[in-house]
Amino acid sequence: MQALSRPLARQVAARSVTRTAPYTQASTALVQRTSPLPPVKAKRRHVRAFASSRYDDGSARSAVINVLNNIASKREVQQYLAQFTSVSSQQFAVIKVGGAILTDYIDQLCASLRNLNQMGLFPVIIHGAGPQLNRLLEEAGVEPKYQEGIRITDGKTLGIARKLFLEENLKVVEALESWGVRARPITSGVLMADYKDKETFQFVGEVNQVNVGSIKAAIADGYIPVLTCMAESEDGQVLNVNADKAAAELARALVPLKIVYLSEKGGIHDKETGKLVEAINLDEEYEEYMKKPWVIHGTRSKIRDIKTLLDDLPRSSSVAIIHPESLERELFTHSGAGTLIRRGTKLHQASSLTEFEAISPTMLKQALVRNREGLDSAAVVDRYLDTLKSSTFRAYFDENMEALAIVLPPTGESSIQLAHLSTLTMTRSAWLSNIADNVFQSLKRDFPKLAWTVKQDDESLTWFSEKADGSIAKKGEVLFWYGIESPEEVRELMSEFVQHGRQMFGDVNLESQLHRAAAAAERIRAGAATLMGNRPGAQQQQARAFSTILEAGSRRGYATTNPNPPLGIKNSEKDYPSKIALIGARGYTGQALIDLLNRHPNMDLCHVSSRELAGKKLKGYNKKEIIYENLSPDDVRRMAERKEIDCWVMALPNGVCKPFVDALDESGHKDAVVIDLSADYRFDPQWTYGLPELVQRGKIASATRISNPGCYATAAQLGIAPLLPHLAPQPAHPTIFGVSGYSGAGTKPSPKNDVDNLTNNIIPYSLTDHIHEREISAQLGTEVAFIPHVAVWFAGIHHTISLPLAQQMASRDVRNLYQDRYHGERLVTIRGESPSVKQIAGKHGVEIGGFAVHSGGKRVVVNVTIDNLLKGAATQCLQNMNLALGYAEYEGIPEDQ
């Protein structure tokens, strides 16, 4: 299948999670201010020469790209950056900044613009000042008057507005300069206007001409141009113009790739549901939106004006209405942010080959063969079209058939009335025009339940995951579905896929047929290569043949293959559901994990082992009756030899796990996943460290030996990682003052879990060289000091972390770093205030807050809380199990309330 585009509105909890860059190499949002740069001499030079001279050292640019890699995949960043730098600089983006943004979000705006500028990008900024003007008019005793929603601007109002707009323009420029961004105020000579019914509106204008010379000159000199929404008449009279309309006229003149309206509301919200409208495709939905009862006044005018604008621009243009904190996400991710308004593409439908022939006798076949040339692709497509002659189907496509989806509706033969997406093909230009969203919106509208399959190495797997409610992988293939709410139907579907793979839908999947043809051709070529023996050049010819097969079998001409297993999905020969064994089930962590497995729809707990509880019935597991066993390493080895278990969880004390792991290694069952909750293998390079928010999820998904991080260590690493690039050099280092509830001391009686001893008390222990101190230091790549304590509450950890900074930072800057770093992480919550243990107990995530900066600006204190039994142990273990066994990462993990 082929597709890439902005995801639809509905995001599902069961989806696979997007890639996170390794935190040991990633830089986070660059929000540290610098001194204003010296003014540039008047000598003009082309902006690309300027950008080259300023950024060729690669440090700032690379740091910003690392920031973007934390909110988007590397491929997304590269694609969008290549797109933005492929046009002249003034055609990158026009950004309209509302007046409220200048008051409340100027720092966020400047930080985002600096990141863009450090990549050599120069957006054109135009701002309003409506709220500020209302306040000044009220103070001056001027009562605002409106006609048709337009402010009537008399002489006094114009005078106040003119002075205000010049002040606000200078405010923006100075703020940008303080962030190290060269900015140039342009307050006249660009927007020309006629009076808009002078008798009624007085000094209100409608833009009739845009002079872009000063904008181009500013960019050529290396400045971001900053315009205000004041225009001039032919005779030099200053006129007030609507900021949205001024931005639209500026966009018409510059024809930018992106048009962004920054709004404190973050987009258009459906007033009936209260939900954000993520996308409006004007070609198909404009009339529908104009009929909605809540689309009135400003909202109605905005949508209408944007449609008028986009009708005059290339179809690839779009308008995004977003919050300033989401600017990079909108520009550099497929998912975007806020509300995206675009013309879209009018999709056509067909339900017979005759309808295609009426359009073009050859276009359908060309679209299906496209990017699949070679091998037997033309013949395979011919056979596929023959099957469609006798099949009921519905096809969705644009006028030029650059995008094509064919869906087979549900039949009465299956108990699950599920439609099947037989093929989806998309050109690169169609992707850039966001047609994939149009297609999936149509599919979700017409087919409430849909399933489709892709190859496991498909580079767009994350995109497909975001469209789906769930997925399962087997033998290099992945089944996705949406709309199935019944757990019984989900289990039936998954069982069918495990048993039959793509053939569960019959032989009607085009990609499946093409891949079989590619595999057959590969076998033929391999046989030919064997006959060639050691003839000169044989190896080279064989390599070329294999490359040709990959290219012909790929699903897009510009695709690259991913040699690693995709995120959250693993090539699996295992049956469904996954069979689990828990060794060491007596402790608190074991009990917490049993409770989670009891909720998990795709995991079957088969064995629990505890020496003390052997022979007793397991409590808290309702799927079936389980009796505790006392399994020895030999028992484990024999079970592994028979491949009875898919995942072994070791919930044993430190130093006890090795005989069981050795037995599993000796069994030869290499596909079995082993997750160790002790510290025994956290320093073993042959094992994968399982902290999904900071370690590449793809690495965890492909691992069979996973060491679960410690509870203290998880919270500390999450609390420090975003500031790693900003820490002062050694010997200065972070200091972690940690306090845990007594459940962290285990079930074996000791002074550290004696409630009487802990009452009105706090007990320090292992004040230096604690195992978690070593673990945190090793994983972060920097020395830390860790000082643990135990207190009287049962569950929950509180860290107070003091971090020395290399340069001065403000509290807001630090908080923004953490918000950017953990955006989209379901189990990490960022708060302004310090989190409390009382609020985290029983929850599955981590809370980070405080962000207090010392008066000198070079030391920050961060607070972190975590439930040591859940995200500190059992919940994190289940994340790792899900990833390694091919399930959605958060499946079986309840949403925190």
Side-chain angles (χ1 to χ4, degrees):
M1 290 195 178
Q2 308 173 28
L4 269 179
S5 185
R6 179 186 179 94
L8 303 175
R10 190 150 99 96
Q11 303 295 315
V12 292
R15 72 186 184 205
S16 298
V17 180
T18 47
R19 182 179 294 109
T20 301
Y23 67 90
T24 52
Q25 300 175 0
S27 172
T28 45
L30 303 176
V31 293
Q32 171 62 30
R33 298 190 187 193
T34 61
S35 301
L37 295 172
V40 178
K41 294 181 180 179
K43 179 181 178 182
R44 181 168 299 176
R45 56 200 169 197
H46 194 275
V47 64
R48 299 211 182 278
F50 169 81
S52 176
S53 64
R54 187 174 174 189
Y55 305 117
D56 272 354
D57 64 355
S59 58
R61 179 186 175 95
S62 296
V64 174
I65 290 177
N66 279 336
V67 173
L68 297 176
N69 285 339
N70 287 328
I71 64 172
S73 70
K74 182 177 180 181
R75 182 170 178 268
E76 285 178 299
V77 173
Q78 290 174 339
Q79 286 176 335
Y80 283 109
L81 191 55
Q83 181 188 11
F84 295 151
T85 56
S86 68
V87 297
S88 57
S89 297
Q90 70 273 6
Q91 290 184 299
F92 160 48
V94 169
I95 300 177
K96 181 261 176 177
V97 182
I101 304 301
L102 303 183
T103 301
D104 300 328
Y105 301 99
I106 187 68
D107 283 345
Q108 289 92 326
L109 173 65
C110 291
S112 294
L113 293 178
R114 188 179 80 162
N115 286 346
L116 297 178
N117 195 228
Q118 286 181 327
M119 288 184 289
L121 300 175
F122 290 78
V124 179
I125 310 300
I126 182 167
H127 67 84
Q132 297 92 319
L133 181 56
N134 288 337
R135 177 176 51 81
L136 289 179
L137 291 176
E138 182 180 356
E139 292 174 356
V142 178
E143 182 179 350
K145 297 179 181 179
Y146 294 88
Q147 182 76 22
E148 300 175 10
I150 300 171
R151 186 196 301 272
I152 296 174
T153 306
D154 58 17
K156 186 173 183 179
T157 300
L158 181 65
I160 295 173
R162 176 64 173 163
K163 181 176 182 292
L164 170 66
F165 287 174
L166 291 175
E167 291 173 350
E168 293 298 305
N169 187 272
L170 183 61
K171 174 183 173 181
V172 175
V173 171
E174 289 181 340
L176 285 170
E177 291 279 349
S178 75
W179 284 77
V181 180
R182 292 186 176 97
R184 176 174 292 177
I186 301 177
T187 57
S188 62
V190 175
L191 301 175
M192 307 302 293
D194 292 326
Y195 285 93
K196 178 181 177 67
D197 189 353
K198 185 176 182 180
E199 183 176 338
T200 301
F201 298 105
Q202 301 188 44
F203 296 104
V204 174
E206 286 191 329
V207 177
N208 59 15
Q209 182 180 335
V210 178
N211 301 319
V212 299
S214 57
I215 295 174
K216 292 182 178 180
I219 293 175
D221 285 341
Y223 291 86
I224 287 180
V226 182
L227 288 73
T228 188
C229 57
M230 301 295 286
E232 301 159 55
S233 69
E234 193 175 52
D235 58 5
Q237 173 63 52
V238 174
L239 297 174
N240 183 21
V241 295
N242 177 272
D244 287 350
K245 292 182 180 294
E249 294 302 327
L250 196 58
R252 280 192 179 88
L254 295 173
V255 193
L257 290 173
K258 298 292 293 188
I259 306 157
V260 179
Y261 289 8
L262 296 183
S263 163
E264 72 277 11
K265 296 180 181 179
I268 296 174
H269 290 78
D270 187 323
K271 291 182 174 59
E272 293 178 344
T273 65
K275 295 182 178 180
L276 176 72
V277 177
E278 289 208 354
I280 299 177
N281 296 311
L282 295 171
D283 281 5
E284 294 201 357
E285 299 177 304
Y286 177 72
E287 295 299 333
E288 176 185 343
Y289 271 92
M290 288 297 102
K291 295 176 183 176
K292 292 181 182 292
W294 57 269
V295 179
I296 54 177
H297 306 314
T299 302
R300 186 179 188 85
S301 176
K302 188 181 291 289
I303 295 175
R304 183 180 60 242
D305 291 345
I306 289 174
K307 181 183 186 304
T308 302
L309 166 64
L310 293 178
D311 283 345
D312 294 337
L313 295 177
R315 186 166 288 276
S316 58
S317 298
S318 61
V319 174
I321 305 172
I322 62 170
H323 192 278
E325 292 179 342
S326 304
L327 184 55
E328 289 103 324
R329 187 171 303 279
E330 170 59 36
L331 294 174
F332 289 97
T333 70
H334 303 324
S335 57
T339 300
L340 181 73
I341 303 179
R342 60 199 171 205
R343 289 173 63 189
T345 298
K346 188 76 172 180
L347 293 180
H348 303 278
Q349 296 186 30
S351 55
S352 71
L353 295 183
T354 304
E355 294 177 59
F356 280 108
E357 292 171 359
I359 300 171
S360 170
T362 60
M363 189 178 291
L364 175 60
K365 181 176 179 179
Q366 290 171 350
L368 293 173
V369 174
R370 180 176 56 216
N371 296 329
R372 297 151 167 162
E373 289 83 359
L375 300 177
D376 196 24
S377 57
V380 171
V381 168
D382 284 336
R383 290 194 293 271
Y384 175 74
L385 292 175
D386 284 339
T387 64
L388 291 183
K389 291 179 181 178
S390 57
S391 303
T392 301
F393 69 89
R394 190 179 303 176
Y396 299 80
F397 53 95
D398 63 302
E399 184 177 0
N400 296 320
M401 223 169 285
E402 294 193 31
L404 170 66
I406 297 178
V407 180
L408 305 180
T411 65
E413 300 175 2
S414 172
S415 60
I416 307 175
Q417 292 301 294
L418 186 68
H420 171 219
L421 180 57
S422 177
T423 189
L424 172 63
T425 175
M426 188 83 57
T427 66
R428 181 175 177 80
S429 62
W431 164 64
L432 291 173
S433 300
N434 298 299
I435 299 178
D437 268 354
N438 290 29
V439 170
F440 254 86
Q441 281 179 313
S442 297
L443 298 185
K444 288 206 167 186
R445 178 193 66 212
D446 296 343
F447 299 100
K449 298 180 181 181
L450 183 74
W452 65 98
T453 57
V454 299
K455 293 293 290 182
Q456 196 169 354
D457 60 358
D458 193 300
E459 63 177 352
S460 302
L461 202 71
T462 298
W463 186 86
F464 285 117
S465 298
E466 289 172 341
K467 299 290 182 286
D469 290 349
S471 65
I472 184 173
K474 183 178 184 292
K475 296 182 179 179
E477 298 174 347
V478 185
L479 170 70
F480 290 107
W481 68 87
Y482 69 70
I484 306 176
E485 298 180 356
S486 165
E488 291 76 16
E489 289 186 349
V490 170
R491 283 193 286 270
E492 181 181 345
L493 179 68
M494 295 173 73
S495 297
E496 282 288 315
F497 180 70
V498 167
Q499 184 176 357
H500 302 292
R502 283 181 167 179
Q503 292 300 310
M504 65 184 287
F505 295 112
D507 196 22
V508 292
N509 186 285
L510 178 56
E511 273 68 29
S512 178
Q513 296 178 30
L514 288 165
H515 280 287
R516 287 202 303 274
E522 182 180 347
R523 288 193 295 271
I524 293 171
R525 290 182 184 274
T530 302
L531 291 175
M532 290 168 65
N534 296 321
R535 288 170 50 189
Q539 291 182 344
Q540 182 180 5
Q541 292 178 27
Q542 184 176 359
R544 283 201 301 267
F546 181 69
S547 174
T548 304
I549 289 169
L550 284 179
E551 181 178 349
S554 70
R555 286 168 294 287
R556 58 181 66 78
Y558 58 92
T560 56
T561 56
N562 178 7
N564 298 314
L567 307 177
I569 295 176
K570 184 177 179 179
N571 189 10
S572 174
E573 302 286 341
K574 299 182 288 293
D575 292 332
Y576 158 83
S578 297
K579 296 177 175 59
I580 312 299
L582 176 59
I583 309 298
R586 178 176 179 269
Y588 294 128
T589 297
Q591 292 299 314
L593 183 58
I594 288 168
D595 180 62
L596 289 172
L597 293 175
N598 190 46
R599 306 168 187 239
H600 201 293
N602 302 316
M603 292 191 189
D604 178 19
L605 182 59
C606 298
H607 298 275
V608 290
S609 177
S610 170
R611 185 179 64 242
E612 295 88 348
L613 300 176
K616 296 182 179 180
K617 181 180 177 180
L618 174 66
K619 297 180 180 180
Y621 192 77
N622 303 322
K623 295 181 181 179
K624 63 183 179 183
E625 181 176 294
I626 296 180
I627 304 299
Y628 280 100
E629 304 169 75
N630 181 18
L631 297 175
S632 67
D634 286 338
D635 295 328
V636 167
R637 188 191 71 254
R638 286 190 289 270
M639 293 165 62
E641 288 173 346
R642 295 191 295 268
K643 298 184 178 182
E644 294 180 7
I645 299 299
D646 299 315
C647 179
W648 299 84
V649 179
M650 304 295 170
L652 297 165
N654 292 344
V656 180
C657 181
K658 189 176 187 302
F660 293 93
V661 173
D662 289 346
L664 290 169
D665 290 340
E666 293 167 4
S667 72
H669 189 196
K670 297 181 180 179
D671 290 335
V673 174
V674 181
I675 299 181
D676 178 26
L677 274 63
S678 77
D680 291 4
Y681 293 95
R682 291 175 190 159
F683 306 97
D684 189 331
Q686 302 302 314
W687 285 58
T688 298
Y689 191 72
L691 182 45
E693 288 80 9
L694 297 180
V695 175
Q696 284 183 317
R697 286 175 162 95
K699 186 176 180 182
I700 299 172
S702 62
T704 57
R705 299 292 184 268
I706 300 170
S707 58
N708 217 58
C711 50
Y712 276 126
T714 294
Q717 291 174 74
L718 290 170
I720 296 173
L723 278 172
L724 276 177
H726 306 278
L727 292 180
Q730 300 285 344
H733 55 259
T735 300
I736 307 154
F737 183 92
V739 186
S740 173
Y742 64 83
S743 62
T747 56
K748 183 178 180 180
S750 77
K752 290 187 292 184
N753 58 21
D754 183 338
V755 175
D756 291 336
N757 185 46
L758 290 169
T759 300
N760 300 321
N761 195 12
I762 183 172
I763 301 177
Y765 64 99
S766 300
L767 296 182
T768 62
D769 300 311
H770 190 284
I771 186 67
H772 286 319
E773 181 176 89
R774 179 185 168 205
E775 179 183 349
I776 298 163
S777 299
Q779 293 299 326
L780 291 178
T782 188
E783 181 183 349
V784 304
F786 173 55
I787 310 164
H789 301 70
V790 63
V792 71
W793 61 80
F794 176 69
I797 287 173
H798 187 285
H799 279 327
T800 298
I801 307 174
S802 178
L803 299 119
L805 301 175
Q807 295 182 350
Q808 291 184 355
M809 298 182 74
S811 177
R812 178 182 290 183
D813 300 338
V814 175
R815 182 179 177 182
N816 287 342
L817 280 172
Y818 283 75
Q819 288 175 328
D820 290 342
R821 179 63 183 83
Y822 296 124
H823 184 89
E825 291 291 354
R826 176 179 147 186
L827 299 184
V828 180
T829 300
I830 306 300
R831 301 191 180 282
E833 68 279 4
S834 295
S836 67
V837 170
K838 186 176 182 180
Q839 298 301 320
I840 200 67
K843 293 186 177 180
H844 296 271
V846 175
E847 294 189 358
I848 305 174
F851 306 116
V853 175
H854 185 265
S855 57
K858 297 188 72 172
R859 182 171 68 87
V860 62
V861 177
V862 175
N863 295 126
V864 187
T865 58
I866 188 174
D867 189 309
N868 51 293
L869 301 178
L870 297 178
K871 177 58 177 169
T875 301
Q876 188 143 263
C877 176
L878 188 56
Q879 285 179 268
N880 291 321
M881 292 170 71
N882 279 330
L883 289 169
L885 292 171
Y887 303 112
E889 180 180 341
Y890 303 119
E891 192 156 5
I893 300 175
E895 293 270 6
D896 285 336
Q897 300 300 317

